[in-house]
Amino acid sequence: MRRRSLVLLGAAGLYSTLTGCGDDEEGFNLKNAPTGTITLGFSQVGSESGWRLANTKSIQKSAEYHNIDLRFDNAEGSQERQIAALHSFIDAKVNVIAFSPVVESGWTQVLTRAREAGIPVVLTDRLIDAADEDLYVSSIGAEFVSEGNLAALYLGLDFQTTKGQVNVVEILGTPDSTPTKQRSQGFAATVSRDNKLRVIDKETGNWSKEGGATAMRKLLRRNPKIDAVFAQNDEMGLGAVTVLQAAGQEPGEKPRIATVDATKAGLQGLVDGKLNYVVECSPIIGDLLMSVVVDLFHGGSVDKRIASEKAVFNKESAVAALPSRPY
Ligand code: GZL
């Protein structure tokens, strides 16, 4: 399905122009396109990490730049609050609803109500149960499975000459969230093809530095020999570093550590030699979201899945990237 390329204007208001699609039947008749300010209801997961704060800033800045009336609610980790926010957006008859679901299950009723109200829903960052896939028109976010693949691939490269089994422990994000499930799934898939890495234990760290430290203490008590750690975000990996150091270990040497997000703190951990690999999962998706919102407002068609950029940092690339890192 071809997407329109949109020219989004700031001060002069919004208009969309067709570029790259000559065939009118796929576009819309400009003189009948609705005008006026677009209202977007957005429910954010919370403020749990540097990644999330950068994601919020990206969405708010892009809405302001594109003159979109953003009704923003921060659920601070509560699905109940997210559902209440979505209902309030439906009651307010916003043009488009977008949200990053804190968990994958439990959205059928409210999203069915949005569809019955004729309000398109866009997912950002995380996903919902596949059974409810027809209740949203587009999802914008990272490929979490491949993030897990990459973390295991790069850790595995470090142990190619090691004799015997390499014991790996995982520190997980919040239960039932898409990144928690899919990063683990991707990590396990690559580990299964590696003849040395073995995931011997897991603990939930709930995306925070304190949670990562608590998880690492439990893992250390249960597993005397840990060769590598996969922490599903930077904050939990840096929390694990503090505990490993207190236990007299040398994180970055033994055990080696891979994390995900690539926040400034994560890249600093690479530069300091405490982390070994950081997989990037860009939170800067504000412009992608606003482009989809404007398309929908004008009755355009949008892609069902829009993947954001990713990369893998090591110490050398972190040194180069850190000075200009936006988040
Ligand atoms: C990933 C995002 C995750 C980040 C964490 O797209 O959902 O949630 O990896 C954040 O830092 O809490």
Side-chain angles (χ1 to χ4, degrees):
M1 177 192 308
R2 278 183 291 165
R3 274 184 48 117
R4 278 186 209 79
S5 301
L6 290 162
V7 174
L8 299 177
L9 297 181
L14 288 162
Y15 82 90
S16 302
T17 178
L18 291 174
T19 56
C21 298
D23 43 344
D24 285 342
E25 74 275 6
E26 194 183 64
F28 53 85
N29 180 331
L30 262 177
K31 59 177 176 298
N32 296 329
T35 55
T37 301
I38 298 174
T39 55
L40 168 64
F42 187 90
S43 167
Q44 179 60 291
V45 166
S47 318
E48 73 282 0
S49 65
W51 189 98
R52 185 66 55 200
L53 300 178
N55 181 246
T56 290
K57 188 176 173 185
S58 166
I59 289 165
Q60 291 175 331
K61 276 181 66 179
S62 187
E64 183 184 359
Y65 179 79
H66 296 303
N67 281 336
I68 288 174
D69 176 2
L70 177 66
R71 319 282 174 82
F72 186 91
D73 182 83
N74 184 331
E76 294 306 355
S78 159
Q79 180 178 31
E80 188 181 346
R81 177 155 174 183
Q82 282 203 294
I83 290 173
L86 298 183
H87 278 299
S88 72
F89 298 148
I90 297 168
D91 296 341
K93 297 183 173 52
V94 298
N95 297 118
V96 183
I97 287 173
F99 74 114
S100 177
V102 63
V103 291
E104 292 193 339
S105 50
W107 304 101
T108 309
Q109 188 272 335
V110 67
L111 295 185
T112 301
R113 183 173 174 237
R115 181 169 60 182
E116 287 165 357
I119 301 175
V121 173
V122 178
L123 300 186
T124 64
D125 174 25
R126 301 182 179 179
L127 297 170
I128 61 175
D129 286 343
D132 287 339
E133 211 167 55
D134 64 337
L135 293 177
Y136 64 88
V137 295
S138 183
S139 68
I140 303 167
E143 299 300 290
F144 301 117
V145 173
S146 63
E147 293 166 353
N149 295 146
L150 288 166
L153 178 71
Y154 280 84
L155 280 176
L157 293 175
D158 284 359
F159 292 97
Q160 283 185 324
T161 58
T162 303
K163 300 227 180 313
Q165 178 171 305
V166 175
N167 292 339
V168 187
V169 295
E170 257 191 280
I171 301 179
L172 307 173
T174 47
D176 195 32
S177 82
T178 310
T180 301
K181 295 163 76 169
Q182 293 190 2
R183 284 173 185 164
S184 242
Q185 179 190 336
F187 193 83
T190 302
V191 163
S192 67
R193 295 192 295 274
D194 183 300
N195 58 8
K196 290 200 178 72
L197 298 183
R198 286 295 172 275
V199 177
I200 59 170
D201 206 346
K202 303 182 181 189
E203 265 297 336
T204 293
N206 290 317
W207 301 122
S208 71
K209 187 169 184 177
E210 300 71 27
T214 303
M216 193 68 239
R217 275 189 212 97
K218 293 176 182 174
L219 290 163
L220 272 177
R221 275 200 293 273
R222 297 198 297 257
N223 306 281
K225 180 181 179 288
I226 296 174
D227 303 302
V229 179
F230 173 41
Q232 292 188 340
N233 83 338
D234 296 341
E235 277 86 350
M236 297 190 292
L238 293 167
V241 163
T242 62
V243 169
L244 290 161
Q245 287 175 314
Q249 301 200 22
E250 288 185 58
E253 285 303 321
K254 187 179 184 308
R256 298 183 75 77
I257 303 178
T259 70
V260 186
D261 278 356
T263 58
K264 280 179 185 167
L267 299 193
Q268 190 61 55
L270 285 172
V271 170
D272 296 343
K274 305 294 185 252
L275 302 177
N276 301 95
Y277 300 105
V278 175
V279 179
E280 182 177 46
C281 163
S282 177
I284 313 299
I285 55 174
D287 283 347
L288 279 174
L289 172 59
M290 298 314 149
S291 168
V292 167
V293 167
V294 171
D295 239 340
L296 291 168
F297 179 70
H298 289 292
S301 58
V302 296
D303 293 323
K304 183 73 175 182
R305 177 67 182 155
I306 301 168
S308 54
E309 297 298 313
K310 65 176 170 297
V312 182
F313 286 91
N314 61 11
K315 180 169 185 170
E316 289 68 27
S317 52
V319 167
L322 200 53
S324 60
R325 194 69 183 158
Y327 62 92

